[in-house]
């Protein structure tokens, strides 16, 4: 019998750069390539700020995955929503009317929720924060698996999130630290079947560590940051730490990849935008270190990729997840201030042997622990346990 899974995610596609969405796209494509019958149910929006429609509703096949997009029924005005959210979370929890906030948080897609009520077979919901999960998980058939992608933030404590945890037949976590957090905030989670480990890491065999610097005319060692440069992702602390580093030495460049934000006007910073897959991997392979400055993480795919390519990382010590990933791999230096960032970067710049040893240790860990065979077996077992009465 062919394994089947429906994946519900608020937005989906090659152009979507969010960590949870990227992880689920990789999972869907990997499982489809292994013979699973995978359907992704999502919305026709890609912009998380506004939920503006950017694709037609309907079905398509993308990288071997059947994708069913449902219409979003309301756009979100970012500034008005931010102001409303501040007022909402200042209100005592017992007095909050959560339904309007969840609808405004979006993407609001009543047709997706209604379709789930008529569906059958196992469904995986991720991340916890959005309308398709919070309202869809109670409507969907059993078994229902929740991959929260949780980090320590105010919405995690909503009553609707507690209800979603109760509706879940099983829980799948990116890291042990994510599970510890969810069980602490929502003790009902402790009684659900669960597993840790949601992704494999596929490192290209033909990495060229010098290609990126050559093609972009970078003639100094460089640090690499990738992903969305938006509030909450630590860009300000990164730029402050890099300015501290540049005040000590000028023989280093900070490369910013991905979308959003700015920073390119700072001394020694190069923003290169979105990179195609092969060039992105070469950029990682050639970096002195890869930087993950965000404090709110449930998993850093970028760190896993850096370690898979044999490069060390500079990681925000405020994140329990990053601290745990660093300890398990031996491939990270933690920083809690701009000065500590500069100290760690100088250490790796001045001691290539140390950087290489850290990268090799982390690469060995990733090769052992982040294999798609293990992810597939873990998911199949979790679906079986979730389906038990």
């Amino acid at each position: 019998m062919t394994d089947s899974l429906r994946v519900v995610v608020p937005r989906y596609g090659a152009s979507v750069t969010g960590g949870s969405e990227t992880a689920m796209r990789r999972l869907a494509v990997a499982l489809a390539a292994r013979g699973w019958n995978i359907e992704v149910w999502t919305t026709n929006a890609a912009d998380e700020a506004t939920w503006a429609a950017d694709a037609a509703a309907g079905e398509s096949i993308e990288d071997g995955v059947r994708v069913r997009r449902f219409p979003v029924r309301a756009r979100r005005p970012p500034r008005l929503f931010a102001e409303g959210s501040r007022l909402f979370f200042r209100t005592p929890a017992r007095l909050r009317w959560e339904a309007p906030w969840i609808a405004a948080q979006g993407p609001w897609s009543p047709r997706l929720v209604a379709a789930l009520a008529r569906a059958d077979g196992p469904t995986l919901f991720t991340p916890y924060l959005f309308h398709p999960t919070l309202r869809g998980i109670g409507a969907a058939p059993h078994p229902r698996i929740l991959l929260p992608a949780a980090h320590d933030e105010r919405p995690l404590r909503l009553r609707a999130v507690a209800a979603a945890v109760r509706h879940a037949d099983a829980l799948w976590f990116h890291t042990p630290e994510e599970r510890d957090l969810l069980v602490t905030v929502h003790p009902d989670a402790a009684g659900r079947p669960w597993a840790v480990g949601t992704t494999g890491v596929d490192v290209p065999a033909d990495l060229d560590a010098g290609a990126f610097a050559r093609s972009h005319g970078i003639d100094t060692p460089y640090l690499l940051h990738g992903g969305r440069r938006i509030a909450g992702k630590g860009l300000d602390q990164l730029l402050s730490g890099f300015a501290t580093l540049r005040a000590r030495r000028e023989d280093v460049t900070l490369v910013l990849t991905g979308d959003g934000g700015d920073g390119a006007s700072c001394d020694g910073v190069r923003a290169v935008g979105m990179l195609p897959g092969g060039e992105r991997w070469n950029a990682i392979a050639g970096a002195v270190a890869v930087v993950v400055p965000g404090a709110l993480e449930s998993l850093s795919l970028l760190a896993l990729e850096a370690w898979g390519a044999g490069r060390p990382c500079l990681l925000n010590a405020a994140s329990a997840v990053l601290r745990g990933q660093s300890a398990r791999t031996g491939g990270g230096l933690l920083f809690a201030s701009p000065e500590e960032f500069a100290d760690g970067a100088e250490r790796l710049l001045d001691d290539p042997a140390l950087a290489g040893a850290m990268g090799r240790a982390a690469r060995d860990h990733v090769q052992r622990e982040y294999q798609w065979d293990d992810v597939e077996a873990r998911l199949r077992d979790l679906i079986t346990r979730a389906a038990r009465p």
Side-chain angles (χ1 to χ4, degrees):
M1 178 182 293
T2 301
D3 292 297
S4 297
L5 182 68
R6 180 184 306 103
V7 178
V8 174
V9 66
R11 54 193 187 130
Y12 184 89
S15 64
V16 174
T17 58
S20 294
E21 293 88 347
T22 299
M24 284 307 97
R25 181 169 174 268
R26 293 182 183 182
L27 177 69
V29 171
L31 292 177
R34 290 166 171 263
W36 285 59
N37 178 20
I38 300 293
E39 285 195 10
V40 171
W41 287 22
T42 187
T43 71
N44 63 339
D47 180 6
E48 187 180 346
T50 66
W51 300 123
D54 78 328
E59 293 190 8
S60 60
I61 303 295
E62 302 175 21
D63 297 316
V65 176
R66 183 176 298 278
V67 180
R68 187 174 178 186
R69 288 186 168 84
F70 293 83
V72 174
R73 287 307 185 192
R75 292 185 60 171
R76 181 171 72 180
R79 183 174 297 180
L80 182 62
F81 177 72
E83 292 172 355
S85 289
R86 281 193 290 271
L87 180 61
F88 175 76
F89 284 107
R90 286 174 185 159
T91 304
R94 68 183 184 280
L95 300 178
R96 290 177 191 153
W97 189 16
E98 292 186 358
W101 185 87
I102 292 168
Q105 163 73 345
W108 189 50
S109 183
R111 287 191 186 178
L112 194 164
V113 175
L116 284 167
R118 301 188 297 270
D120 57 15
T123 307
L124 172 66
F125 292 86
T126 192
Y128 85 89
L129 183 59
F130 299 102
H131 181 268
T133 293
L134 294 176
R135 293 301 184 235
I137 195 168
H142 300 280
R144 306 181 286 216
I145 300 172
L146 175 62
L147 199 168
H151 49 258
D152 197 356
E153 59 184 350
R154 291 177 297 182
L156 185 63
R157 290 158 176 80
L158 293 176
R159 296 187 300 275
V161 178
V165 171
R166 290 194 298 271
H167 286 308
D169 299 303
L171 296 161
W172 201 13
F173 299 99
H174 289 308
T175 62
E177 292 79 17
E178 184 193 354
R179 180 175 189 267
D180 292 344
L181 171 64
L182 194 73
V183 169
T184 298
V185 176
H186 297 294
D188 283 346
R192 301 290 187 272
W194 60 278
V196 172
T198 60
T199 190
V201 178
D202 299 315
V203 182
D206 57 348
L207 292 179
D208 182 343
F212 176 78
R214 291 193 301 270
S215 65
H216 287 268
I218 298 173
D219 58 4
T220 68
Y222 64 89
L223 307 172
L224 183 75
H225 170 268
R228 293 176 296 166
R229 300 195 295 280
I230 60 174
K233 292 297 183 179
L235 181 63
D236 289 345
Q237 185 173 16
L238 169 59
L239 294 176
S240 178
F242 185 70
T244 301
L245 177 63
R246 284 280 293 192
R248 301 178 187 179
R249 58 194 302 164
E250 295 185 353
D251 62 333
V252 60
T253 299
L254 173 62
V255 174
L256 303 178
T257 70
D259 61 353
D262 54 22
S265 60
C266 300
D267 188 36
V269 177
R270 292 278 301 274
V272 298
M274 299 291 292
L275 299 176
E279 186 178 14
R280 181 174 174 276
W281 273 106
N282 284 338
I284 291 171
V288 172
V290 168
V291 187
V292 184
L296 302 178
E297 302 284 348
S298 60
L299 175 74
S300 174
L301 289 173
L302 179 61
L304 291 178
E305 290 170 339
W307 291 326
R311 301 314 304 154
C313 291
L314 293 164
L315 307 167
N316 191 331
S319 167
V321 167
L322 296 180
R323 293 197 305 271
Q325 286 189 268
S326 179
R328 287 187 288 274
T329 62
L333 295 179
L334 301 171
F335 63 89
S337 67
E339 291 73 22
E340 288 186 7
F341 171 86
D343 290 344
E346 274 205 300
R347 189 177 170 194
L348 296 175
L349 286 161
D350 291 338
D351 193 346
L354 172 64
M358 292 173 62
R360 287 190 296 274
R363 181 179 59 205
D364 291 344
H365 176 86
V366 167
Q367 289 175 346
R368 289 194 308 270
E369 302 296 332
Y370 291 89
Q371 297 298 315
W372 285 112
D373 285 348
D374 297 329
V375 173
E376 182 181 16
R378 203 174 287 134
L379 175 58
R380 187 178 289 118
D381 176 67
L382 195 60
I383 291 172
T384 299
R385 289 190 287 144
R388 291 172 183 164

